[in-house]
């Protein structure tokens, strides 16, 4: 009886002992009992016992309280010498009718229970566990996700967040950072993208509603709403923190400032950065103004006192990434370049690096005084010379300032970079010689509302760096969608047991065997095809053909055309820009045809797997949608190319043929939208469906235009649809 593939993440040491597998029960009858020996004051250990009882009862259909049978004992004991992160380590010894779960700390005992339950299956009406000795502990102290304030998370209910915690718990991940404040530029609706997930009572003007617009086939009509995020409206962040703590997952807030910061300076312009004329830029802060820190500390204190202190949380994320000038920072003048760097006389007399370091020190010092023992901040302003902080060794300057202000023990640099190849990483080292605490941040793909991708090698590269250079943790940059499950599994494996996880190919194989054991070969074929659709290497610059990853994520899908671009109209021409750039590029068209073919084959396999109750049919169903989405984007583009050929042919019935093609693509998009609504969670639907609706409405408008316009008056140019785009289409933009 081999249980290695059932343990997640992959365990450090599994040794099989002599003896037959132990019978824990049969259907409806338990043949085991549970005994614990530790203080009832140890909350997580008590929760471990409760989890074990609940898990066994659900599996057996009976309470594990048999007087005779297998004894399952739980206790805390000293860790073996030299074990890293020993408080999270555990040991399982199963032999001679006893299964001993030994935790070397409360978290370790909880993970021992998790491992035991992962290994148990009802097979032939019996539940058995082999004679085995397992010793395990994680490589990295903190493992988990950073959840961005963005599409999806802005509509998550408390139960949705609890499912994230449950998912993390099963992967033995222990840290969830929730971005509760962050801002981007103008995108949809001509509005600045601003997000605030907590009610700030002292500053009631700080509110950022969610806007939803899309066509719903399920409701046979348009959905249009404006409402506050559920986390604000129901104020459940404290409940989420408590729920996570009960399962060994630390939930902490990230509240950005300086960069990704337009809501605060727009609502309270007195603290905004100023331009050369002394006018608020409505982005960034004036760091010479005491009112800036009065406001920031009020916000921090409210979050700490209301949510963190009552739950014993002592971690806080201050962000501080991507502080740069940019357009579209205000809806009133989208092409004006605005700067978060204040130009008032007091600020302008200091260099940017001096201001950045002083701002960081003020924030971190206040948080330390408030009892925070881990204060996370992004690395990019210090390690990326393109950020405009000068040629000095910014990391070293920051480290010296932290040392001088007694902050080295609490500040932790968060090293993020999302390239899938070594040369493309923003940095090649996390600078262990500086003596600053560090954590690494790969990503999970993030753009789920556009197209799901799997950034597996990015995780491998950053975790390798973390292990070799002594980082304490890994938190992926995430937007939540269970379609990223394979990446999440790989991140958990590498953060827990980097050497044991092996190569990226090893982790892919293990994921498929865990989820599609009886259909492994077919699942591998489908997943390989899915990966081929969004392959990162490749492309041909001379032929103006980007990589397939770029084709799917950026060229054919809508989202990146929602951004304001210098020299282009806003809203942008869509899908006109795609056609104008690639519509007559033969090499690009052939690459898209090949992607569409791979996606179609993968879809057929996933569709079949989704009908098999012996595999993870739920995730197969999700992958089916993702490959259908790839195919739809390709087919939409290829259809526009075909329409153009028909138009150029001068065929007398050209408009009828184009109209028929438009109708076909409209109906194909509607069919895909039906599958989407039946596949993904409610909090994902608005962002996904809005982009889908834009494609659908384009073809609906084209069909209607050709149906209702005399042939002599028809004007078609597939790089410009402004003359036939409906109000519904513009409303979606």
């Amino acid at each position: 009886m081999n249980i290695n593939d059932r343990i997640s993440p992959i365990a450090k040491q599994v040794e099989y002992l002599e003896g037959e597998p132990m019978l824990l029960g049969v259907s409806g009858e338990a043949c085991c009992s549970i005994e614990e020996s530790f203080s009832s004051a140890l909350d997580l250990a008590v929760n471990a016992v409760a989890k074990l009882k609940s898990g066994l009862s659900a599996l057996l259909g009976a309470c594990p309280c048999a007087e005779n049978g297998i004894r399952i004992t739980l206790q805390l004991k000293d860790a073996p010498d030299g074990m890293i992160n020993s408080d999270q380590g555990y040991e399982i010894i199963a032999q001679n009718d006893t299964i001993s779960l030994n935790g070397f700390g409360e978290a370790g005992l909880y993970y021992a229970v998790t491992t035991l339950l992962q290994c148990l299956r009802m097979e032939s009406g019996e539940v058995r566990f082999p004679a085995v000795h397992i010793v395990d502990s994680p490589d990295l102290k903190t493992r988990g996700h950073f959840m961005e304030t963005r599409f999806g998370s802005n509509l998550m209910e408390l139960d949705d967040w609890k499912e994230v915690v449950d998912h993390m718990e099963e992967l033995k991940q222990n840290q969830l950072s929730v971005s509760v404040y962050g801002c981007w530029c103008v995108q949809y609706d001509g509005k600045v993208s601003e997000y605030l997930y907590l009610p700030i009572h002292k500053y009631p003007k700080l509110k950022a509603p969610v806007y939803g617009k899309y066509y719903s086939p399920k409701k046979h009509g348009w959905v249009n709403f404006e409402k506050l995020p559920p986390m604000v409206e129901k104020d459940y962040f404290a409940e989420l923190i408590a729920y996570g703590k009960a399962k060994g997952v630390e939930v902490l807030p990230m509240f950005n400032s300086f960069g990704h910061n337009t809501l605060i300076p727009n609502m309270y312009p007195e603290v905004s950065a100023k331009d050369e004329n002394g006018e608020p830029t409505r982005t960034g802060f004036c760091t010479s103004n005491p009112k800036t820190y009065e406001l920031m500390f009020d916000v921090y204190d409210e979050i700490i006192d209301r949510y963190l202190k009552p739950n014993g949380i002592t971690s806080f994320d201050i962000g501080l990434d991507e502080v740069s000038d940019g357009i579209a920072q205000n809806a009133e003048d989208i092409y004006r370049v605005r700067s978060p760097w204040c130009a008032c006389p007091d600020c302008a007399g200091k260099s940017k690096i001096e201001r950045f370091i002083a701002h960081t020190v003020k924030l971190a010092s206040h948080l330390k005084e408030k009892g925070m023992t881990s204060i996370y901040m992004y690395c990019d302003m210090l390690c990326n010379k393109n950020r405009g902080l000068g040629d000095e060794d910014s990391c070293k300057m920051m480290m010296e300032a932290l040392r001088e202000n007694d902050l080295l023990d609490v500040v932790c640099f968060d090293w993020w970079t999302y390239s899938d190849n070594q040369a493309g990483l923003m940095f090649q080292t996390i600078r262990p010689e500086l003596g600053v605490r560090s954590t690494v941040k790969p990503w999970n793909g993030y753009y789920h509302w556009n197209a799901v991708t799997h950034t597996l090698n990015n995780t491998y590269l950053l975790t390798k760096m973390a292990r070799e250079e002594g980082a304490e943790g890994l938190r992926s940059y995430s937007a939540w969608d269970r379609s990223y499950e394979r990446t999440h599994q790989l991140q958990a494996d590498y953060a827990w047991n980097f050497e044991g996880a092996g190569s990226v190919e090893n982790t892919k194989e293990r994921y498929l065997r865990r989820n599609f054991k009886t259909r492994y070969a077919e699942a591998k074929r489908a997943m390989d095809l899915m990966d081929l659709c969004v392959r990162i290497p490749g492309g041909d610059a001379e032929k103006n053909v980007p990589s397939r990853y770029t084709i799917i994520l950026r060229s054919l899908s809508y989202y990146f055309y929602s951004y304001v671009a210098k020299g282009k109209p806003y809203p942008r021409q869509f899908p006109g820009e795609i056609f104008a750039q690639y519509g007559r590029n033969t090499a690009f068209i052939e690459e898209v045809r090949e992607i569409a073919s791979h996606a179609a084959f993968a879809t057929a396999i996933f569709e079949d797997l989704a009908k098999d109750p012996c595999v993870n049919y739920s995730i197969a169903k999700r992958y089916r949608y993702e490959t259908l989405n790839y195919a739809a984007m390709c087919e939409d583009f290829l259809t526009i190319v075909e329409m153009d050929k028909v138009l150029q042919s001068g065929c007398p019935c050209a408009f009828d043929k184009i109209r028929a093609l438009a109708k076909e693509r409209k109906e194909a998009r509607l069919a895909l939208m039906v599958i989407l609504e039946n596949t993904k969670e409610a909090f994902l639907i608005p962002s996904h469906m809005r982009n889908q609706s834009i494609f659908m409405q384009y073809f609906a408008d084209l069909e209607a235009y050709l149906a209702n316009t005399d042939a002599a008056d028809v004007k078609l140019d597939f790089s410009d649809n402004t003359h036939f785009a409906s109000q519904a289409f513009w409303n979606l933009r």
Side-chain angles (χ1 to χ4, degrees), residues 651-697:
C651 171
C653 56
F655 295 150
D656 290 336
K657 289 183 177 180
I658 293 171
R659 178 184 169 191
L661 289 169
K663 181 175 185 291
E664 180 182 314
R665 289 314 306 160
K666 177 196 72 176
E667 292 175 351
R669 275 287 170 179
L670 286 168
L672 179 60
M673 291 159 73
V674 169
I675 293 171
L676 171 57
E677 285 193 299
N678 290 324
T679 300
K680 296 206 174 184
E681 294 80 6
F683 64 86
L684 294 174
I685 294 301
S687 58
H688 288 234
M689 290 291 279
R690 185 165 191 169
N691 289 342
Q692 294 283 359
S693 298
I694 288 170
F695 284 101
M696 182 277 294
Q697 194 61 45

Coordinates of all heavy atoms in Angstrom, one line a residue, residues 651-697:
C651 N -17.0 39.5 -54.0 CA -18.1 38.5 -54.2 C -19.4 39.3 -54.1 O -19.6 40.0 -53.1 CB -18.0 37.4 -53.3 SG -19.4 36.3 -53.3
P652 N -20.4 39.1 -55.0 CA -21.7 39.8 -54.9 C -22.5 39.5 -53.6 O -23.2 40.3 -53.2 CB -22.5 39.2 -56.1 CG -21.4 38.8 -57.1 CD -20.3 38.3 -56.2
C653 N -22.2 38.3 -53.1 CA -22.9 37.9 -51.8 C -22.0 38.1 -50.6 O -22.2 37.4 -49.6 CB -23.5 36.5 -51.9 SG -22.3 35.3 -52.3
A654 N -21.0 38.9 -50.7 CA -20.0 39.1 -49.6 C -20.6 39.5 -48.3 O -20.3 38.9 -47.3 CB -18.9 40.1 -50.0
F655 N -21.6 40.4 -48.4 CA -22.2 40.9 -47.1 C -23.0 39.8 -46.4 O -23.0 39.7 -45.2 CB -23.0 42.2 -47.4 CG -22.2 43.3 -47.8 CD1 -22.7 44.3 -48.6 CD2 -20.8 43.5 -47.4 CE1 -22.0 45.4 -49.1 CE2 -20.1 44.6 -47.9 CZ -20.7 45.5 -48.7
D656 N -23.7 39.0 -47.3 CA -24.5 37.9 -46.7 C -23.5 36.9 -46.0 O -23.9 36.4 -45.0 CB -25.3 37.2 -47.8 CG -26.4 38.1 -48.3 OD1 -26.8 39.0 -47.5 OD2 -26.8 37.9 -49.4
K657 N -22.4 36.6 -46.7 CA -21.5 35.6 -46.1 C -20.9 36.2 -44.8 O -20.7 35.4 -43.8 CB -20.3 35.3 -47.1 CG -20.8 34.5 -48.3 CD -19.6 34.2 -49.2 CE -20.0 33.3 -50.3 NZ -18.8 33.0 -51.2
I658 N -20.5 37.5 -44.8 CA -20.0 38.1 -43.6 C -21.0 38.1 -42.5 O -20.7 37.8 -41.3 CB -19.4 39.5 -43.9 CG1 -18.2 39.4 -44.8 CG2 -19.1 40.2 -42.6 CD1 -17.8 40.7 -45.4
R659 N -22.2 38.4 -42.8 CA -23.3 38.4 -41.8 C -23.5 37.0 -41.2 O -23.6 36.9 -40.0 CB -24.6 38.9 -42.5 CG -25.8 38.9 -41.5 CD -27.1 39.2 -42.3 NE -28.2 39.0 -41.5 CZ -29.5 39.0 -42.0 NH1 -29.7 39.3 -43.3 NH2 -30.5 38.8 -41.2
A660 N -23.4 36.0 -42.0 CA -23.6 34.6 -41.5 C -22.4 34.2 -40.6 O -22.6 33.6 -39.6 CB -23.7 33.6 -42.7
L661 N -21.2 34.7 -41.0 CA -20.0 34.4 -40.1 C -20.2 35.1 -38.8 O -19.8 34.6 -37.7 CB -18.8 34.8 -40.8 CG -18.3 34.0 -42.0 CD1 -17.2 34.6 -42.8 CD2 -17.9 32.6 -41.5
A662 N -20.7 36.4 -38.8 CA -20.8 37.1 -37.6 C -21.9 36.5 -36.7 O -21.7 36.4 -35.5 CB -21.3 38.6 -37.9
K663 N -23.0 36.0 -37.3 CA -24.0 35.3 -36.5 C -23.4 34.0 -35.8 O -23.7 33.7 -34.7 CB -25.2 34.9 -37.4 CG -26.3 34.2 -36.7 CD -27.5 34.0 -37.7 CE -28.7 33.4 -37.0 NZ -28.5 32.0 -36.6
E664 N -22.6 33.3 -36.6 CA -22.0 32.1 -36.1 C -21.1 32.4 -34.9 O -21.2 31.7 -33.9 CB -21.2 31.4 -37.2 CG -20.5 30.1 -36.8 CD -19.7 29.6 -38.0 OE1 -20.2 29.5 -39.1 OE2 -18.5 29.2 -37.8
R665 N -20.3 33.4 -35.0 CA -19.4 33.7 -33.9 C -20.2 34.3 -32.7 O -19.8 34.0 -31.5 CB -18.3 34.7 -34.3 CG -17.3 34.2 -35.2 CD -16.7 32.8 -34.8 NE -16.2 32.8 -33.4 CZ -16.0 31.7 -32.7 NH1 -16.3 30.6 -33.2 NH2 -15.5 31.8 -31.5
K666 N -21.2 35.1 -32.9 CA -22.0 35.6 -31.8 C -22.6 34.4 -31.0 O -22.6 34.4 -29.8 CB -23.2 36.4 -32.4 CG -24.1 36.9 -31.3 CD -25.4 37.5 -31.9 CE -26.3 36.3 -32.4 NZ -27.6 36.8 -32.9
E667 N -23.1 33.4 -31.8 CA -23.8 32.3 -31.1 C -22.7 31.4 -30.4 O -23.0 30.8 -29.3 CB -24.5 31.5 -32.1 CG -25.8 32.2 -32.6 CD -26.5 31.5 -33.7 OE1 -26.0 30.5 -34.2 OE2 -27.6 31.9 -34.1
A668 N -21.5 31.3 -31.0 CA -20.4 30.5 -30.3 C -20.0 31.2 -29.0 O -19.8 30.5 -28.0 CB -19.2 30.4 -31.3
R669 N -19.9 32.5 -29.0 CA -19.6 33.2 -27.8 C -20.7 33.0 -26.7 O -20.4 32.8 -25.6 CB -19.4 34.7 -28.1 CG -18.0 35.1 -28.5 CD -17.0 35.0 -27.4 NE -15.6 35.1 -27.9 CZ -14.6 35.1 -27.1 NH1 -14.7 34.9 -25.8 NH2 -13.4 35.2 -27.6
L670 N -21.9 33.1 -27.1 CA -23.0 32.9 -26.2 C -23.0 31.5 -25.6 O -23.2 31.3 -24.4 CB -24.4 33.2 -26.9 CG -24.7 34.6 -27.2 CD1 -25.9 34.7 -28.1 CD2 -25.0 35.4 -25.9
A671 N -22.7 30.5 -26.4 CA -22.6 29.2 -25.9 C -21.4 29.0 -24.9 O -21.6 28.4 -23.9 CB -22.3 28.2 -27.1
L672 N -20.3 29.7 -25.2 CA -19.2 29.7 -24.2 C -19.6 30.4 -22.9 O -19.2 30.0 -21.8 CB -18.0 30.4 -24.9 CG -16.7 30.5 -24.0 CD1 -16.3 29.1 -23.6 CD2 -15.6 31.2 -24.7
M673 N -20.4 31.5 -23.0 CA -20.8 32.2 -21.8 C -21.7 31.4 -21.0 O -21.7 31.4 -19.8 CB -21.5 33.5 -22.3 CG -20.5 34.5 -22.9 SD -21.2 35.8 -23.9 CE -22.0 36.8 -22.6
V674 N -22.6 30.5 -21.6 CA -23.4 29.6 -20.9 C -22.5 28.6 -20.1 O -22.8 28.4 -18.9 CB -24.3 28.8 -21.8 CG1 -25.0 27.7 -21.1 CG2 -25.4 29.7 -22.4
I675 N -21.5 28.1 -20.7 CA -20.6 27.2 -20.0 C -19.9 27.9 -18.9 O -19.7 27.3 -17.8 CB -19.6 26.6 -21.0 CG1 -20.3 25.7 -22.0 CG2 -18.5 25.8 -20.3 CD1 -19.4 25.2 -23.2
L676 N -19.5 29.1 -19.1 CA -18.8 29.9 -18.0 C -19.7 30.0 -16.8 O -19.3 29.8 -15.7 CB -18.4 31.2 -18.6 CG -17.8 32.3 -17.6 CD1 -16.7 31.8 -16.8 CD2 -17.5 33.6 -18.3
E677 N -20.9 30.5 -17.1 CA -21.9 30.7 -16.0 C -22.2 29.4 -15.2 O -22.5 29.5 -14.0 CB -23.2 31.3 -16.5 CG -23.1 32.7 -16.8 CD -24.4 33.4 -17.1 OE1 -25.1 33.0 -18.0 OE2 -24.7 34.4 -16.3
N678 N -22.0 28.3 -15.9 CA -22.3 27.0 -15.2 C -21.0 26.3 -14.6 O -21.1 25.2 -14.1 CB -22.9 26.0 -16.2 CG -24.3 26.4 -16.5 OD1 -25.1 26.9 -15.7 ND2 -24.8 26.2 -17.8
T679 N -19.9 27.0 -14.8 CA -18.6 26.4 -14.4 C -18.0 27.1 -13.2 O -17.5 26.5 -12.3 CB -17.6 26.4 -15.6 OG1 -18.2 25.6 -16.6 CG2 -16.3 25.8 -15.2
K680 N -18.0 28.4 -13.2 CA -17.2 29.2 -12.2 C -18.1 29.8 -11.2 O -19.3 30.0 -11.3 CB -16.3 30.2 -12.9 CG -15.3 29.6 -13.9 CD -14.1 30.5 -14.1 CE -13.0 29.8 -14.9 NZ -11.8 30.5 -15.0
E681 N -17.4 30.3 -10.1 CA -18.1 30.8 -8.9 C -18.7 32.2 -9.3 O -18.2 32.9 -10.1 CB -17.1 30.9 -7.8 CG -16.6 29.6 -7.2 CD -15.5 28.9 -8.0 OE1 -15.0 29.6 -9.0 OE2 -15.2 27.8 -7.8
A682 N -19.7 32.6 -8.5 CA -20.4 33.8 -8.7 C -19.5 35.0 -8.6 O -19.7 36.0 -9.4 CB -21.5 34.0 -7.7
F683 N -18.5 35.0 -7.8 CA -17.6 36.2 -7.6 C -16.7 36.4 -8.9 O -16.2 37.5 -9.1 CB -16.8 36.1 -6.4 CG -15.8 35.0 -6.3 CD1 -14.5 35.1 -6.8 CD2 -16.1 33.8 -5.6 CE1 -13.6 34.1 -6.7 CE2 -15.2 32.8 -5.5 CZ -13.9 32.9 -6.1
L684 N -16.5 35.3 -9.7 CA -15.7 35.4 -10.9 C -16.5 35.9 -12.1 O -15.9 36.4 -13.1 CB -15.0 34.1 -11.2 CG -14.0 33.6 -10.2 CD1 -13.6 32.2 -10.6 CD2 -12.8 34.5 -10.1
I685 N -17.8 35.7 -12.1 CA -18.6 35.8 -13.3 C -18.6 37.2 -13.8 O -18.4 37.4 -15.1 CB -20.1 35.4 -13.0 CG1 -20.1 33.9 -12.7 CG2 -21.0 35.7 -14.2 CD1 -19.6 33.0 -13.8
P686 N -18.8 38.3 -13.0 CA -18.8 39.6 -13.7 C -17.6 40.0 -14.5 O -17.7 40.6 -15.6 CB -19.0 40.6 -12.5 CG -19.8 39.7 -11.5 CD -19.2 38.4 -11.6
S687 N -16.4 39.8 -13.9 CA -15.2 40.2 -14.7 C -15.0 39.3 -15.9 O -14.6 39.8 -16.9 CB -14.0 40.1 -13.7 OG -13.8 38.8 -13.2
H688 N -15.2 38.0 -15.8 CA -15.1 37.1 -16.9 C -16.1 37.4 -18.0 O -15.8 37.5 -19.2 CB -15.2 35.7 -16.5 CG -14.1 35.1 -15.7 ND1 -13.4 34.0 -16.1 CD2 -13.5 35.6 -14.6 CE1 -12.4 33.8 -15.2 NE2 -12.5 34.7 -14.3
M689 N -17.3 37.6 -17.6 CA -18.4 37.8 -18.5 C -18.4 39.1 -19.2 O -18.8 39.2 -20.4 CB -19.8 37.6 -17.8 CG -20.1 36.2 -17.4 SD -20.4 35.1 -18.8 CE -22.1 35.4 -19.1
R690 N -17.8 40.1 -18.6 CA -17.7 41.4 -19.2 C -16.9 41.3 -20.5 O -17.2 41.8 -21.6 CB -17.2 42.5 -18.3 CG -17.2 43.9 -18.9 CD -17.0 44.9 -17.9 NE -17.3 46.3 -18.4 CZ -17.4 47.4 -17.7 NH1 -17.3 47.3 -16.4 NH2 -17.6 48.5 -18.3
N691 N -15.7 40.7 -20.4 CA -14.8 40.5 -21.5 C -15.5 39.6 -22.6 O -15.4 39.9 -23.8 CB -13.5 39.9 -21.1 CG -12.7 40.9 -20.3 OD1 -12.9 42.1 -20.3 ND2 -11.7 40.4 -19.6
Q692 N -16.2 38.6 -22.1 CA -16.9 37.7 -23.1 C -17.9 38.5 -23.8 O -18.2 38.3 -25.0 CB -17.5 36.5 -22.4 CG -16.5 35.6 -21.7 CD -15.9 34.6 -22.8 OE1 -16.2 34.7 -24.0 NE2 -15.0 33.8 -22.3
S693 N -18.6 39.4 -23.1 CA -19.7 40.1 -23.7 C -19.2 41.1 -24.7 O -20.0 41.4 -25.7 CB -20.5 40.9 -22.6 OG -21.0 40.0 -21.6
I694 N -18.1 41.6 -24.6 CA -17.5 42.5 -25.5 C -17.3 41.8 -26.9 O -17.7 42.4 -28.0 CB -16.2 43.1 -25.0 CG1 -16.5 44.1 -23.9 CG2 -15.4 43.8 -26.2 CD1 -15.2 44.6 -23.1
F695 N -16.7 40.6 -26.9 CA -16.6 39.8 -28.1 C -18.0 39.5 -28.7 O -18.2 39.7 -29.9 CB -15.9 38.5 -27.8 CG -14.4 38.6 -27.6 CD1 -13.9 38.6 -26.3 CD2 -13.5 38.7 -28.7 CE1 -12.5 38.7 -26.1 CE2 -12.2 38.8 -28.5 CZ -11.6 38.8 -27.2
M696 N -18.9 39.1 -27.9 CA -20.2 38.7 -28.3 C -20.9 39.9 -29.0 O -21.5 39.8 -30.1 CB -21.0 38.1 -27.2 CG -22.4 37.7 -27.6 SD -23.7 39.0 -27.6 CE -23.8 39.5 -25.9
Q697 N -20.8 41.0 -28.3 CA -21.6 42.2 -28.8 C -21.0 42.7 -30.1 O -21.7 43.3 -31.0 CB -21.6 43.3 -27.8 CG -22.6 44.4 -28.0 CD -24.0 43.9 -28.1 OE1 -24.4 43.1 -27.3 NE2 -24.8 44.3 -29.1

